[in-house]
Amino acid sequence: MATATYTGTEKPNYLNWKTSVASWLFTYDHKRLGILYLISISIFFFIGALAAMFIRLELMTPKGDLLTSDVYNKMFTTHGVIMIFLFLIPSIPAVFGNFLLPLMIGARDVAFPRLNLLSWYFFITGGILVLIALFRGGIDTGWTFYTPYSSSFAKGEVSLAIVGIFLAGFSSIFTGINFLVTIHKMRAPGMTWFRLPLFVWAMYATSLLQVLGTPVVAITLLLVAVERTFRIGIFDPNLGGDPILFQHLFWFYSHPAVYIMILPAMGVISEVISAFSKRRVFGYHFVAFSSLAIAIIGFLVWGHHMFSTGQSIYAGIVFSFLTWLVAVPSAIKIFNWMATIWKGRVHWDTPMLYALGFMGLFVIGGLTGLHLAAMATNVHLTDTYFVVAHFHYVMVGGAIMGYLAALHFWWPKMTGRMYPEGWGKLAAMLVFVGFNLTFFPQFILGYMGMPRRYHSYPEEWAVLNVLSTAGSSVLGFGYLLPVIYLTWSLKYGKVVTERNPWGARGLEWELVDPVPDPHNFERTPIVTRPAYDYAHPEEPTGFIPKPRPVVVGGKDG
Amino acid sequence: MAGHSESHVHPVSLYTRTLWWLLALLVLTVAAGYIPNVPNWLGVVIALTIAVWKATIVIMNFMHVRFSGKLAWLFAGAGFFWLLIMLAFAFADYVSRPWEPFHGWPE
Amino acid sequence: MSVQEIEKTATLEHTGDGHHHGDGILGEQFETLEQQNNAYLIGMWAFIVQEVLFFGAIFTSYAIYRYKYVLEFTLAHHELNVWFGSLNTFVLLLSSYTMARAVRAAMQNRHKKQAIYLFLTFLLAGEFMLNKYFEYGAKFEHHLFPGGDYSAHEVVKHAKEKGELRIVEENGREFYELGKTRDGQFIAFKRVTPEEFEQRTRLFFGFYFIMTGLHGLHVLVGMIVIAILIGRAWIDHLKNKPIADYMPVEMTGLYWHLVDIVWIFLFPLLYLIGR
């Protein structure tokens, strides 16, 4: 490992000290794995976005004239499966969790680097299987795989897609295990729980969800595949089974899954908002514990997806009440972030624009969730575009904005280059405008009764649908811009020579080289200051690098 | 965080005692299955109680949780507690369906 | 904690196990062997937690269907052989014991003992799988596998013999009455059509094969890992290695005990309750 192929004159870093393809594909380095995930999920994102493009193109006109209903079903299934399982669930944890976690806690790597590599292999294999399934004719069950359609009637590559998702699920589980152990056992001396960046708390809560929830969807989808092969009748009412049982098991994971998607984004927002207001996060303990509260309560609400499918109304009452409860910790975070920005010295850089966009859009998404959480209004709104708008507000307006904020915020640390700020701001504003234009009309459409997953609709809803499609082109363009200018910046962007271009707080900014060393820290840090210590000037008095032991005959490079 | 590793060796008697208890409980559990005139729900309760007892001594003694730090206890407990959540809430649906004015599922 | 105190404890941590880096035992990302061992233990426990949820979901499904179809499931489960099940439970409990002894031997660095106990565990696991093979074979013979040629014939026959099922005819259609015979009198609890009876008993066997099959798969994987550990232990013994890393054995032990615990619940829930 000490035999680097690097021959340049600058200091070797994790990117250039070895450059063979093998050194990337067989790496144990958490930073390289983060980059590998970044590339993989970006590819999946654009395939999923392509499917979305077809959906919006079809919906531009009331008649189902672009795609047959069968092909349309395959489109929204493709869009859902790829965006959820292959993009959103891994996104922030696999890219930024991997890259940042050891840096933020002062460790040399995660607890199980080889498991980390295995995680990525599982992810890629699973993703490829899903793509093969989609291109070999596809699946039209919806990403929710509701039975008995998916288990008894659907034609197509359902079982193959299920195997792919199963493998991707195990990638998620292994990542969760890795992060839990890393956070418990690898923190640098002095890095107590309440000195951790809030991103780490968010990743901890997310990892709990991944480990406790994913195995349930794994076995559930496996049962669907077994059903397709042996027709046992577990979910088929014609054979004595109950389709609602599938929904119980499916949503037991899939509801916490949405918190897997949003909690890391919330962690990012804590980091970005404090860095660009130059203030500590207000109510640190509240924000930290609210992440855990969301994770735990989030496991108790899954029945709110099943109010009108046959679940008993008494169970529904319980689930409805708990769903209202889960909104509280999210609201706590919003209030604390607002208090953080208040009287801060706000810098309106791109990451901050995305973070502010997150706050507004997440509030809308979250509040509209309450309309759905109340059983009475749910009966009218369920399976309409209201639901579609609600979850896109939280998953795109929320999670993806958080992802883009993270991408821009940590771009200099990951690549040593700065992106062009002007283009960054432009893209952020296009994304914000495009997003609202796409999805706000859908609230109205849903309220008026337009059902989801239909490729045609009555004439009177044409205008709102056209607006939505127009918005989606703006949004698409807004997503394309970063791909271009971020890639451009790799070669032509301004080289970052200082450790802390943003003047932020955190070990990854204060102690790690502009582009990190392969082993992160020259010497083990010792932490003595609280997190977000913006009140005091940035100087490493609180971090006393301790010499690493001199290892005789060690395998360390 | 608590969780010191299992670095010291336990006496063999710990394991042999546990094995005898497990075998005794096995005999008990089979015998309990043959007691006549036991209502179904009671049979389930007895079987589950014995199974939980067996699982507990395997976890405590064979898996060394008795000697491990709080973190191992927390993880072990969390897994079973979460399973309980799934069972409880799912059953809440099925148990309460007959209370509704219209039956969804045939008896 | 003052800076000086932190420095002091950090120093203490850094002395001592530094040489393990050279042994190849201590991973680069860890400071001490104790940290590494703790990390591996906690990691294994996290894996076990997800296995509990994995099996737990299918236990939940079984529990729900048993609740709804208790009579049909009870009649169907009489086809399971309690003696085979008990023998399998005995074998698995014993294998947990030998596994625990193997871990203990590994901690003592007594590699020959370790290899022997691991081998005993392997044999017991193999015996479990052999029993499974015979059990499954009998099920296939009696058309109880929920595939295309499933038939509830055996279940009906045995239920009639025990006085728990009676065939009645009404309006030219056949019904099964499920109940109990007390003092020569048949008391009916429920009436179902033959199709319903066949579907619901088939569901029971579906769960039986899925749950025991998944469990058997885990036993097989465990056997493969144990075989590898036997090899390594024997090599350590032949090379007279003074200190070997016992963590892989300990972690495999945890996995093996989990497999045992799953069976501890499977056995009564499938084979016993309702006799």
Side-chain angles (χ1 to χ4, degrees), chain A residues 472-555:
Chain A
S472 68
S473 8
V474 177
L475 182 61
F477 187 60
Y479 283 144
L480 218 50
L481 279 181
V483 176
I484 301 172
Y485 66 70
L486 287 176
T487 315
W488 174 92
S489 78
L490 288 176
K491 198 141 193 267
Y492 302 107
K494 178 166 159 287
V495 174
V496 177
T497 49
E498 24 160 10
R499 288 185 173 167
N500 198 353
W502 302 116
R505 294 285 182 273
L507 291 181
E508 82 273 25
W509 296 115
E510 297 184 75
L511 280 193
V512 176
D513 293 332
V515 183
D517 184 77
H519 306 298
N520 298 345
F521 302 94
E522 284 177 7
R523 302 182 277 184
T524 308
I526 297 185
V527 179
T528 55
R529 288 193 301 172
Y532 311 112
D533 200 13
Y534 290 98
H536 300 108
E538 186 207 334
E539 40 162 308
T541 50
F543 300 95
I544 301 173
K546 190 89 186 89
R548 279 224 311 253
V550 174
V551 177
V552 177
K555 62 178 189 175

Side-chain angles (χ1 to χ4, degrees), chain A residues 39 92 105 140 154 254 293 319 421 465 478 482 515 525:
Chain A
I39 300 171
I92 298 178
I105 65 176
D140 59 352
S254 299
F319 281 121
E421 180 60 42
N465 271 294
V515 183

Side-chain angles (χ1 to χ4, degrees), chain C residues 23-84:
Chain C
D23 274 347
I25 295 182
L26 188 61
E28 234 207 43
Q29 68 274 22
F30 292 110
E31 301 286 336
T32 66
L33 192 60
E34 187 184 349
Q35 185 194 26
Q36 175 173 291
N37 288 348
N38 283 337
Y40 274 110
L41 275 175
I42 295 298
M44 196 62 210
W45 269 108
F47 181 74
I48 285 173
V49 164
Q50 75 86 29
E51 287 280 311
V52 168
L53 268 309
F54 189 72
F55 276 100
I58 191 151
F59 271 95
T60 304
S61 311
Y62 173 71
I64 287 171
Y65 278 116
R66 191 171 191 282
Y67 169 76
K68 289 307 289 185
Y69 299 140
V70 59
L71 288 170
E72 293 90 330
F73 271 33
T74 307
L75 290 180
H77 101 304
H78 287 309
E79 298 305 308
L80 299 182
N81 189 323
V82 174
W83 299 115
F84 255 130

Side-chain angles (χ1 to χ4, degrees), chain A residues 111 185 231 234 238 240 242, chain C residues 28-29 35 65 69 199 202:
Chain A
K185 293 289 172 194
R231 301 245 321 145
I234 303 181
N238 285 332
D242 185 19
Chain C
E28 234 207 43
Q29 68 274 22
Q35 185 194 26
Y65 278 116
Y69 299 140
Q199 283 170 4
R202 193 158 175 274

Side-chain angles (χ1 to χ4, degrees), chain A residues 75-113:
Chain A
M75 280 304 155
F76 66 69
T77 305
T78 302
H79 176 67
V81 167
I82 293 187
M83 285 308 200
I84 292 184
F85 292 115
L86 299 181
F87 177 72
L88 275 170
I89 298 266
S91 62
I92 298 178
V95 177
F96 298 103
N98 262 320
F99 193 93
L100 294 168
L101 215 50
L103 295 177
M104 282 181 168
I105 65 176
R108 286 196 280 284
D109 206 315
V110 292
F112 309 122

